[in-house]
Amino acid sequence: QVQLAESGGGLVQPGGSLRLSCAVSGNIFTIAATGWYRQAPGKEREMVAKITSGGGVFYADSAKGRFTISRNNAKDTLYLQMNSLKPEDTAVYYCNARDYKGFDSWGQGTQVTVSS
């Protein structure tokens, strides 16, 4: 079992920045990849960025050039730095961990609202 706890969401103006954090605990050695997903009202959950245990990094096209995923292994924490935020980035952001068997664990989500 893996437990995930997000923090760092909030209200920001267009063009602003936010950094999301995800504290990871439990059977960390079973994790193959961790990442960030988001779900806007009326839309399906989508991948924003993910990083594999080997260090491979993948971004959604909408995130490339604006968002940066990183992790601090010493602190067992995953981050998502979001810059140049747009209203269409408004969503609930979820931290995800997938184990080597393909099982997904999710955090409770954190709301990000981009509005003037």
Side-chain angles (χ1 to χ4, degrees), residues 14 38-41 43 46 48 62 66-67 84-93 112-115:
R38 68 186 183 187
Q39 187 166 18
K43 295 188 176 181
E46 62 179 2
V48 177
S62 59
R66 298 188 301 127
F67 295 1
S84 303
L85 283 161
K86 306 174 182 180
E88 50 263 43
D89 295 317
T90 295
V92 178
Y93 284 70
V112 172
T113 302
V114 184
S115 175

Side-chain angles (χ1 to χ4, degrees), residues 76-95:
D76 292 329
T77 302
L78 183 72
Y79 301 100
L80 184 68
Q81 178 66 43
M82 303 187 293
N83 299 327
S84 303
L85 283 161
K86 306 174 182 180
E88 50 263 43
D89 295 317
T90 295
V92 178
Y93 284 70
Y94 296 91
C95 183

